[in-house]
Amino acid sequence: MSLEIRESVPLAPLTTLGVGGPARFYAEAAGEAAVVEAFRFAEARGVPLFVLGGGSNLVVSDRGVDALVLRVRVRGAEVVGGEGLDPAGRVLVRAGAGEGWDDLVARAVAEGWAGVECLSGIPGDVGATPIQNVGAYGQEVAETIAEVRAVDRATGAVAVIAGADCGFGYRDSLFKRAWRGRYVITAVTFALRPGGAATVRYPELQRALSAAPGGAAPPLGEVRGAVIALRRGKSMVLDPGDENGRSAGSFFMNPTLAAGAAAGAIARIEAAGVLAPGEAIPQYPAGGGRVKLSAAWLIERAGFARGTRHGAAGISTRHTLALVNRGGATAAELLDLARRVRRGVLDRFGVALSVEPDLVGFAPGQTDDLVSDAHAADQGG
């Protein structure tokens, strides 16, 4: 076996939160054959296989993970075939699942390939981006994914899945639902626009760039710089010197509600007396007649201030969506704080926030109260 299997490997150092216990087994796969070996090892030992990406959207339980934890290290990024242009004039770039996501974004911006510039500064690996349909500042990775290459766990066969067939939604894909546990992603091909204009449709980004809606788009590099500055201002970039740096990014997703549920939530917010004179409730169209509310705004109006602490865990001093490890926090402390926040928002406004990071290694039922009413955010849908 060319795959090196290690035992009792600490996982906390491999996550951005820095919490959690060890993996029973741990391995790194540099190619698809090694991925298949990992399947066989896990099956022979009778343990699950868990794929670890960059560790940026993950909470590992304090007891660790009784599984083979596999880090896919397939590297490289190349233009597909000659100029790589598809019939729509886009350049096709295939990147290994183990490539750093922001490294790929930086290259795209440097080459003048538009389509991912607003996704600058997001930690993690390329292979995780289709699963979560990573998005920020008005862009989603689904807009550029041409195809996903993956190994089927059941057969060991390689599947090439068109982006249009991945069932992408807001922070969602079939990899999180019907295909959960079926595939291990080894590469992703992106269709980017050479010489294309930057995407500047998010109001906060427009203000940072002093860009008027409908006006000429700034250069890609300027947009990338502005996005990273905005993220840094919210402690949403990896920075060892930042007191809020040990986080999983946004811990809660912005709730998207059917029109009727949104109207009910807005009525409850207005009745709660939390609006300042002349203040409007942040809300955005989410397609299909649905409405997206701001989770951060709801958390703050429910009474949870930036900097709130719970043991060694806390809410970021810069952004209420981020729960942070202040040093020595346990996974239990972080989830207890998440429970307080979710319950506070639900009790006050009737909106259930969905937890964004994956919760791994917890006992059956241990996290049900964090996810059991998650669909309340889709009431009426």
Side-chain angles (χ1 to χ4, degrees):
M1 177 180 284
S2 60
L3 189 71
E4 179 185 359
I5 305 290
R6 297 160 56 196
E7 297 187 43
S8 299
V9 173
L11 292 177
L14 302 180
T15 72
T16 55
L17 256 175
V19 303
R24 179 177 175 186
F25 301 107
Y26 177 85
E28 296 185 352
E32 291 171 345
V35 171
V36 175
E37 285 188 42
F39 297 162
R40 292 172 179 162
F41 177 89
E43 184 178 13
R45 292 299 184 100
V47 297
L49 183 141
F50 173 74
V51 179
L52 174 69
S56 61
N57 196 48
L58 184 67
V59 182
V60 176
S61 75
D62 295 316
R63 69 176 187 169
V65 182
D66 186 16
L68 168 59
V69 174
L70 180 68
R71 183 83 189 270
V72 179
R73 290 291 200 177
V74 179
R75 304 301 295 270
E78 60 181 3
V79 174
V80 179
E83 291 297 317
L85 298 182
D86 70 0
R90 300 172 301 179
V91 63
L92 300 176
V93 183
R94 182 189 299 123
E99 279 292 300
W101 170 250
D102 194 52
D103 293 337
L104 181 66
V105 175
R107 178 181 173 188
V109 169
E111 297 278 3
W113 302 332
V116 292
E117 60 281 350
C118 295
L119 306 180
S120 294
I122 296 175
D125 293 346
V126 164
T129 60
I131 298 172
Q132 187 73 7
N133 185 17
V134 166
Y137 294 104
Q139 276 184 336
E140 291 182 333
V141 75
E143 299 170 41
T144 61
I145 291 180
E147 63 182 31
V148 176
R149 184 178 175 93
V151 181
D152 191 312
R153 297 192 191 198
T155 65
V158 173
V160 178
I161 306 164
D165 295 332
C166 291
F168 291 123
Y170 172 63
R171 303 296 183 270
D172 192 28
S173 71
L174 286 173
F175 296 107
K176 290 183 67 174
R177 293 181 281 112
W179 296 344
R180 190 177 185 90
R182 178 176 176 182
Y183 295 111
V184 173
I185 294 172
T186 57
V188 184
T189 300
F190 301 91
L192 306 174
R193 295 174 280 110
T199 299
V200 185
R201 54 183 174 233
Y202 195 79
E204 185 181 16
L205 182 58
Q206 290 174 349
R207 291 192 295 270
L209 291 163
S210 299
L220 297 181
E222 186 176 341
V223 173
R224 172 173 166 79
V227 167
I228 290 176
L230 286 170
R231 292 183 63 85
R232 191 179 303 280
K234 300 173 184 177
S235 295
M236 290 292 188
V237 296
L238 294 180
D239 182 351
D242 188 336
E243 64 171 341
N244 301 300
R246 280 176 290 188
S247 81
S250 296
F251 208 89
F252 301 100
M253 292 187 282
N254 291 321
T256 59
L257 284 68
I266 289 168
R268 286 188 291 271
I269 294 167
E270 290 173 343
V274 298
L275 294 172
E279 182 181 14
I281 299 169
Q283 53 185 291
Y284 314 93
R290 305 179 72 80
V291 178
K292 182 188 296 184
L293 300 180
S294 166
W297 190 92
L298 291 169
I299 291 167
E300 291 179 0
R301 293 311 187 278
F304 296 94
R306 299 178 188 185
T308 296
R309 294 185 68 115
H310 179 77
I315 296 175
S316 168
T317 61
R318 293 183 175 181
H319 200 303
T320 44
L321 274 189
L323 303 189
V324 300
N325 174 5
R326 294 286 179 212
T330 64
E333 286 177 316
L334 280 156
L335 295 194
D336 283 347
L337 178 57
R339 290 183 177 98
R340 285 177 52 196
V341 171
R342 288 185 83 244
R343 180 52 56 186
V345 172
L346 184 61
D347 288 349
R348 188 130 202 213
F349 305 126
V351 178
L353 299 181
S354 296
V355 172
E356 185 164 335
D358 287 330
L359 310 179
V360 180
F362 295 90
Q366 190 176 356
T367 60
D368 284 356
D369 62 326
L370 281 165
V371 298
S372 60
D373 59 348
H375 294 295
D378 280 330
Q379 295 142 321

